[in-house]
Amino acid sequence: MSKQLTYCLPKESTGAEEGSRPPRSFSSASGFLALLTLLAAALPLLATISPVNHDETQYISAAYFGGLGLVPYRDFLYLQTPYQIYLFAPLFSIFEQHAFLAARILTGSIGSITLILVYLALRRFHVQMTRAAICCALLWLCHSFVFGMTIVRNDALPALLLAGAILVVANQLVSEGTSGLRVSRWLIGGVLLGVAIGTKISYAAPALGVLVFPTWAFLMKATRLRDALARSALFATGLIVALLPLLWFREAAALAFDYGNFGYHAEAPLAWYAANGLEDRLTLAAKVRDVMLTLSRGPALFAFLIYVCLRIRSIQRHESQTQPLLLMDLLVLAGLAATVAPTPTWRQYAIPLLPPLFIGLGLVWERAYDRGAKLPGSVVVAMLLAAIVGIGQPAFQVWKGSIGGAATPLVVAREGQFLATQAARAGFSGMSVSLSPEVVLASGLALDPTFATGPFAYRTAETIPSALRAAMHIASPESVIGYLKRTNPDVIVTGYENFDHVDEQGLEIPIETFASSQGYTRIESPYGEAVFWLRPPQAGPIQ
């Protein structure tokens, strides 16, 4: 970074009506808006051709079971807070075997709306049109953002809710001088972030940031105590209203609820990485490395450094601290906490940081411009280079999903159709088993709820006592053969989880051992890596 992140421009002698500002170019603004529109429209398209990520398995299967009326935790294990299930569940009624592709398109569309909400929040905070569009384009180029908005995880929906909550609060903060305290806005903000927590628990950090904000604004002499207390009370009320349904889910199956939301995340990743000889991924040094790598794959790291440096410089100059900036300070800090808290740290964990970071970037950029200052050329060049790096992730997804040979939702759909044909010829329509549920669901066959989490709960289930495994509907690599002998499924699908990713154990080996020993017919997929095992006719399923 240069010695100074800002420097003063010479004053223009253009008169009092414009001061030192040069005239703004409408054509430039419209060009950036066109780019923003193109980027937003690209997300659903990118989602359709991006490679399948094995994280998607539990979200797809949970939506399927939710659509059947099954209750998460009670009837099948789910490893997240449950609200997203009910957004995606109707897709299985509407699109049936093509629900995975529909879920991808919906996820990409949610990403597009998130981008628009960030732009609207920037504009509501009076960030000039061109700068607002540039900030949104930089957000889009962040590796974590484009990844999370194009695969079916629980990242896109809470990011949209966070951006929506920021916009709601922005409307309140900007209009307070003329309209006073709007009760509905703080309530709505609380509800939005409460639903975000009910979708992904790490959004408790941004929710806490907004809850603390009114008190922080009062301490910084940016608002009155009466208003601060009212805001916090209303926001907390909205949070409570949105989170109350979680009590019902826990009441239905307390053991599975606690394990799915807390116990699994505290224990299972550590056990899995240790079992595969990757303890180094669990160290503090690895966490710092992973966070830096995630943020540096695109503009996020430079945006963070610029924001922090300009905010520190503003405080050192004893400048007035506006409420929008104070809010973004807390949300950026909360987003950073949500990013670094999980172990090991993965790219999608940075998503709670990104909307507030780029809204904050727009605010400090606009403030610097109002002072007659701008970012040094070296910083602009660094940001441009970071943006170029950010193009790598969507380019990789396009290449890998089109000519790189990776499985995509379109490939899964063809495999599902092929499996449906083979099962129909054999006269099978009963239960199916797989650590890759998306393939089974693309065939229209029924999926065994014991495998609702795909490989995740299964791979470390031996750390749980067998009685508790049965209560939570979990099989393990050691117990799966016995389970399959009892249930004798019509169809078994393997191929995508054997030695996948960091797996050195061979998760599908015992499943394939059972299928082979019981005389299941082995059929390789002509489209992807799936292997289908059809039960021999004489071995009827156990009811």
Side-chain angles (χ1 to χ4, degrees):
M1 306 291 285
S2 62
K3 293 181 180 179
Q4 292 186 355
L5 274 172
T6 60
Y7 65 87
C8 291
L9 295 173
K11 297 288 183 181
E12 303 281 350
S13 57
T14 56
E17 69 279 6
E18 287 293 331
S20 62
R21 286 181 179 235
R24 292 168 174 169
S25 169
F26 178 78
S27 59
S28 173
S30 61
F32 279 109
L33 281 177
L35 173 63
L36 179 59
T37 302
L38 179 64
L39 292 175
L43 285 174
L45 297 175
L46 184 59
T48 63
I49 62 172
S50 292
V52 174
N53 183 280
H54 80 160
D55 284 7
E56 296 179 275
T57 56
Q58 64 169 311
Y59 302 100
I60 291 294
S61 58
Y64 162 76
F65 289 124
L68 294 178
L70 275 64
V71 177
Y73 316 112
R74 187 192 72 186
D75 300 322
F76 63 94
L77 184 62
Y78 188 55
L79 302 177
Q80 306 288 339
T81 42
Y83 290 173
Q84 178 170 286
I85 292 173
Y86 299 98
L87 174 65
F88 285 84
L91 299 179
F92 282 90
S93 299
I94 299 170
F95 298 101
E96 298 179 338
Q97 291 98 313
H98 300 286
F100 182 24
L101 182 60
R104 276 289 192 90
I105 294 172
L106 177 57
T107 300
S109 300
I110 290 171
S112 302
I113 298 170
T114 302
L115 206 63
I116 294 169
L117 291 177
V118 169
Y119 175 79
L120 293 176
L122 283 161
R123 293 292 291 139
R124 193 66 182 117
F125 282 136
H126 302 305
V127 176
Q128 189 261 347
M129 189 182 297
T130 299
R131 281 185 280 280
I134 291 174
C135 287
C136 290
L138 293 173
L139 167 61
W140 193 96
L141 288 167
C142 290
H143 175 86
S144 298
F145 183 82
V146 76
F147 172 77
M149 302 301 132
T150 52
I151 67 166
V152 183
R153 282 181 44 90
N154 63 338
D155 294 314
L157 177 58
L160 179 147
L161 294 166
L162 173 59
I166 294 173
L167 178 59
V168 169
V169 174
N171 278 319
Q172 175 62 53
L173 295 180
V174 171
S175 63
E176 271 182 355
T178 57
S179 62
L181 182 66
R182 292 284 185 89
V183 171
S184 60
R185 289 175 180 170
W186 288 97
L187 277 172
I188 291 171
V191 169
L192 290 173
L193 280 174
V195 175
I197 296 170
T199 302
K200 190 179 183 74
I201 203 165
S202 63
Y203 280 77
L208 180 61
V210 179
L211 186 63
V212 169
F213 160 69
T215 301
W216 180 239
F218 166 72
L219 293 175
M220 295 297 291
K221 301 180 180 179
T223 189
R224 297 176 299 180
L225 178 60
R226 182 182 64 185
D227 287 346
L229 294 175
R231 292 173 181 175
S232 294
L234 291 168
F235 183 80
T237 300
L239 276 178
I240 292 169
V241 168
L243 293 173
L244 277 176
L246 294 182
L247 297 178
W248 180 82
F249 286 104
R250 189 178 187 279
E251 179 67 21
L255 178 68
F257 181 92
D258 290 345
Y259 180 75
N261 286 291
F262 306 107
Y264 173 85
H265 303 282
E267 301 166 5
L270 306 182
W272 177 241
Y273 276 77
N276 286 278
L278 295 171
E279 292 93 341
D280 61 304
R281 285 296 308 275
L282 309 176
T283 63
L284 179 60
K287 181 181 291 291
V288 173
R289 178 198 66 203
D290 292 342
V291 171
M292 295 295 289
L293 179 62
T294 293
L295 297 182
S296 63
R297 293 162 78 177
L301 180 60
F302 279 104
F304 180 78
L305 293 175
I306 291 169
Y307 180 80
V308 170
C309 290
L310 287 179
R311 291 297 293 129
I312 291 173
R313 189 169 182 79
S314 172
I315 293 170
Q316 289 173 337
R317 287 175 168 173
H318 302 290
E319 296 175 347
S320 62
Q321 301 304 310
T322 64
Q323 293 188 72
L325 282 170
L326 293 174
L327 175 62
M328 290 307 111
D329 289 345
L330 289 172
L331 286 178
V332 168
L333 180 62
L336 185 62
T339 300
V340 304
T343 301
T345 301
W346 289 101
R347 52 190 168 181
Q348 61 269 17
Y349 300 152
I351 294 176
L353 169 65
L354 299 181
L357 175 59
F358 285 92
I359 293 173
L361 179 66
L363 286 172
V364 296
W365 188 5
E366 187 73 21
R367 195 174 208 194
Y369 188 84
D370 286 339
R371 284 201 322 268
K374 67 177 183 179
L375 300 179
S378 59
V379 174
V380 174
V381 170
M383 186 62 79
L384 286 174
L385 291 175
I388 292 171
V389 171
I391 297 173
Q393 176 61 22
F396 172 79
Q397 289 179 217
V398 170
W399 171 78
K400 192 73 173 174
S402 56
I403 62 176
T408 67
L410 298 174
V411 171
V412 168
R414 288 195 290 269
E415 288 190 313
Q417 185 176 17
F418 178 79
L419 173 58
T421 300
Q422 298 300 316
R425 287 177 181 171
F428 293 148
S429 59
M431 199 66 71
S432 300
V433 162
S434 181
L435 300 182
S436 307
E438 67 277 7
V439 180
V440 172
L441 299 180
S443 71
L445 296 173
L447 177 68
D448 186 336
T450 299
F451 297 86
T453 67
F456 293 100
Y458 165 86
R459 67 191 186 184
T460 55
E462 280 302 310
T463 62
I464 306 171
S466 59
L468 298 183
R469 287 203 304 268
M472 293 191 292
H473 312 289
I474 312 175
S476 71
E478 289 78 5
S479 68
V480 71
I481 290 180
Y483 178 81
L484 294 176
K485 285 181 177 179
R486 292 193 302 273
T487 57
N488 226 13
D490 280 354
V491 175
I492 297 172
V493 179
T494 61
Y496 282 111
E497 291 296 336
N498 228 18
F499 304 105
D500 177 72
H501 195 45
V502 302
D503 173 29
E504 294 184 359
Q505 311 301 306
L507 292 177
E508 292 179 334
I509 287 177
I511 299 174
E512 292 182 333
T513 298
F514 164 81
S516 179
S517 66
Q518 298 299 309
Y520 276 62
T521 302
R522 185 181 189 275
I523 303 173
E524 292 190 7
S525 165
Y527 305 105
E529 297 180 17
V531 177
F532 309 119
W533 302 83
L534 303 184
R535 178 177 53 79
Q538 66 273 18
I542 297 176
Q543 301 298 326

